Amino acid sequence: MSFHLPPSGGRLSARAPAGQDSLSAQLRALQRRLDSLERVVAQLRASQEDTAEVVDELAALRAAAQAAVAERDEAGPAAEAPQTSRTRNLQMLNPEISVSGDFVGNFTAPQGESNNVSATPREFEFSFQSALDPYTRTKIFVTREQDFEIAGFPEEEGEGEEHGGFEIEEGYMYWVGLPGRLGAKIGKFRQEIGLYNRWHTHALLEVERPLAAVTFLGEDGLIQTGAAITLPSLTLGPTTQTATFEVALGDNEALFENGSEMSYLGRMQSFWDLGASSYLQFGATGVYGQNDDEFLTSRLVAVDFSYRWTPPGRALYRGFQLKSEWYFVEKDFELTESTGNGGYVQANFRASRQWILGVRGDYLNGFGSDPKIFQLAPSISWWQSEWVRLRLQYNFLKPQGEAGNHTVLFQAVWAVGPHKHETY
C-alpha cells in the first residue's frame, strides 16, 4: 500500500490488498474527505478568505491517513497476501486407504460321509498406497485371515483357526521412470510366476486358487521378501517381450519348507497384439532355491497362456478370457526325489455389465504319494456394484479311484476406498 500526500492540493492514493476490506473502506472515506477539503481550501484561497480552520482539519485527516498506513505496515507481509488453506497439500501426503472383506460359505456332500456346512469370514484386508516422490511408489497390504478348507482336497491343518492377528501380506516400494525404462521393487511381494500369483485372493475369478497352485506354492501363493528388476520391454512388430528377475529369501513353506536360503526366479513374457479387440500372451517362469536345514533343493518350471477378446468400447459389457497354467515341480530331500505336475484351464464370459459366467478345470498329480485329482468348477458372478460382488460356484472334485465330492460355495466380497478389488 502506498500514499502520496502533497503539501497543498493533490490526491491521496491507496491500494488495499485482498482481504483488507476494513482498512480499504477507511482509506476510501479519508480520501473522499481529503478531496472535499482540498477543494474548499482552493476556493477560499482564490477568494482570499481565511483558510486556517479548514487547513487544520485537512492536517488532521492527513495524520489519520498516516496512522492507518503505519497500522498496515506493522501487520507485516503476511497481512498483504491472501490467506490460503493448506488442507489439500496435507491430503496429498496421506496414503490412499482401502479396506476389503471376503466372506465364503460352503456346503459339501462327499459320498459315503456326513455333509459338511461352514461359513467363514475368510479375509479382511487393509490397503495403503502412496506416491512417495515423483520416482517412487509404495504398496502395503495388512490382512487378517481365517483358514478356509473345502472337504476333500487340499488337506490343511488348523481348519477354521485364525492366523496370528494381523499380518503383512505385502509391503514393498517400487520405482518408476528409471533410466533405460527399467522397473525395480524391494520388500515383501507376490512374485511374478504365472497368471494369478500376483492377484489377491478376494480378486480371483473363482472362490479359491487352482489345486496345483495351492499344492506347489501354498494356500496364499508365492509371497517372499527380496528384490526384483524388470528389463525394458522389447517390441518386435505386433509382439512385446518382457523379462523379470527376482531374488528373495526362500521361506515359502510349500516350496522351500520355511527355509532361510536365497531363491531365484526368472520370467519371460511375450505379448501378441491381434488387433483392436483381442490379444495373446505366453509366459514361462523358472524358480530355484534350497533349504540347507532340510537338505532340500527345489526346482519349479511354469508355463502359461492367455487369450482375451473384448469388443472396442464395450469392455464393461462383453468379453471373453481363456487362460491356462501348468507347473512342473521337483524337490530333492537328500537322496530322495519327489516330482509333481498339474495345472488348470479356465474360461470366463462377460454376458453383461453385472453378470460373468466362468468355468475352470483342474488337474493335479502330487509328489508321487497322492492320487491324481480332477476338479471341475463352474461359477456365476454378479457385480451388484463396483463395491459389492456376489458369486455362486459348484465344485466337483474327484481323486482317481475314489468317490467324488460335491461342493456348493457362496462368496461375498465388498470393498471401500479408491482400490476396490486389488489384483496387483
Side-chain angles (χ1 to χ4, degrees):
M1 179 178 300
S2 61
F3 284 92
H4 175 62
L5 296 176
S8 64
R11 183 177 182 81
L12 170 68
S13 111
R15 184 175 65 252
Q20 304 298 315
D21 295 337
S22 173
L23 183 58
S24 298
Q26 181 183 359
L27 291 174
R28 285 194 296 271
L30 291 172
Q31 178 70 66
R32 289 193 296 270
R33 183 59 177 159
L34 284 169
D35 290 344
S36 175
L37 288 175
E38 286 177 347
R39 285 194 296 271
V40 171
V41 170
Q43 293 173 359
L44 292 174
R45 285 177 175 171
S47 60
Q48 295 183 350
E49 296 183 16
D50 184 12
T51 61
E53 182 178 352
V54 179
V55 170
D56 290 341
E57 184 176 356
L58 181 59
L61 285 173
R62 285 176 177 167
Q66 290 173 350
V69 173
E71 181 182 350
R72 166 63 180 80
D73 291 340
E74 289 176 0
E80 293 187 15
Q83 299 299 314
T84 58
S85 172
R86 296 181 180 270
T87 303
R88 182 174 298 179
N89 292 335
L90 292 175
Q91 187 174 356
M92 292 174 62
L93 299 176
N94 294 330
E96 296 178 345
I97 301 175
S98 303
V99 183
S100 64
D102 183 2
F103 170 89
V104 178
N106 76 87
F107 171 80
T108 303
Q111 297 181 9
E113 300 179 17
S114 60
N115 295 334
N116 178 39
V117 180
S118 69
T120 306
R122 181 167 60 172
E123 179 186 66
F124 293 99
E125 178 180 273
F126 295 81
S127 165
F128 305 87
Q129 303 188 38
S130 181
L132 303 178
D133 55 43
Y135 313 99
T136 321
R137 310 288 187 270
T138 187
K139 291 187 177 184
I140 300 173
F141 300 95
V142 180
T143 62
R144 183 178 180 87
E145 299 180 8
Q146 183 167 315
D147 289 334
F148 168 74
E149 181 180 335
I150 300 173
F153 188 85
E155 294 291 342
E156 296 283 349
E157 297 182 359
E159 178 185 0
E161 295 181 0
E162 292 186 352
H163 291 273
F166 289 96
E167 300 178 355
I168 302 296
E169 179 177 353
E170 290 191 274
Y172 62 92
M173 177 176 65
Y174 62 101
W175 286 265
V176 296
L178 292 177
R181 295 182 292 116
L182 290 172
K185 62 183 173 183
I186 187 170
K188 182 180 181 181
F189 51 85
R190 292 183 169 274
Q191 295 192 253
E192 292 284 352
I193 177 172
L195 298 172
Y196 286 127
N197 188 71
R198 292 286 295 130
W199 288 48
H200 290 216
T201 302
H202 62 84
L204 295 173
L205 298 179
E206 284 88 26
V207 174
E208 78 293 338
R209 297 182 186 274
L211 297 181
V214 173
T215 302
F216 301 137
L217 303 177
E219 183 180 356
D220 294 327
L222 186 60
I223 308 173
Q224 300 187 125
T225 302
I229 185 169
T230 300
L231 300 181
S233 298
L234 176 63
T235 301
L236 301 173
T239 70
T240 301
Q241 324 301 323
T242 305
T244 301
F245 299 95
E246 299 177 350
V247 179
L249 181 65
D251 58 1
N252 178 269
E253 181 178 3
L255 200 56
F256 302 115
E257 302 290 336
N258 293 326
S260 57
E261 301 295 326
M262 302 306 296
S263 67
Y264 307 91
L265 180 149
R267 174 171 173 80
M268 187 69 189
Q269 181 174 291
S270 180
F271 177 91
W272 295 64
D273 191 353
L274 303 181
S277 61
S278 59
Y279 70 80
L280 282 172
Q281 179 181 297
F282 301 92
T285 309
V287 181
Y288 173 83
Q290 296 181 327
N291 181 351
D292 290 344
D293 294 337
E294 299 287 344
F295 303 100
L296 166 69
T297 300
S298 300
R299 292 173 288 273
L300 180 148
V301 174
V303 292
D304 56 80
F305 159 84
S306 176
Y307 168 78
R308 182 167 183 172
W309 169 81
T310 304
R314 302 270 306 166
L316 295 177
Y317 305 94
R318 194 75 75 238
F320 175 76
Q321 297 182 60
L322 179 64
K323 300 176 182 288
S324 180
E325 292 184 62
W326 211 266
Y327 301 90
F328 302 89
V329 184
E330 183 179 273
K331 298 173 71 172
D332 295 335
F333 288 93
E334 294 183 324
L335 300 178
T336 303
E337 180 181 277
S338 298
T339 61
N341 70 91
Y344 69 88
V345 177
Q346 177 192 70
N348 288 85
F349 175 70
R350 178 178 286 277
S352 68
R353 180 162 186 160
Q354 292 183 306
W355 293 99
I356 300 177
L357 307 177
V359 62
R360 192 187 74 217
D362 291 343
Y363 170 82
L364 176 65
N365 184 4
F367 294 107
S369 59
D370 296 321
K372 297 177 182 179
I373 298 176
F374 306 88
Q375 179 173 259
L376 184 66
S379 65
I380 180 170
S381 301
W382 180 51
W383 284 86
Q384 176 180 317
S385 66
E386 183 182 359
W387 298 270
V388 179
R389 184 193 67 217
L390 306 178
R391 174 175 290 143
L392 188 65
Q393 181 173 315
Y394 165 73
N395 287 6
F396 175 69
L397 185 146
K398 187 182 184 306
Q400 188 177 33
E402 300 181 14
N405 295 311
H406 304 269
T407 304
V408 176
L409 301 104
F410 171 77
Q411 182 186 31
V413 175
W414 63 96
V416 295
H419 304 280
K420 299 297 185 294
H421 302 282
E422 183 72 23
T423 56
Y424 287 83

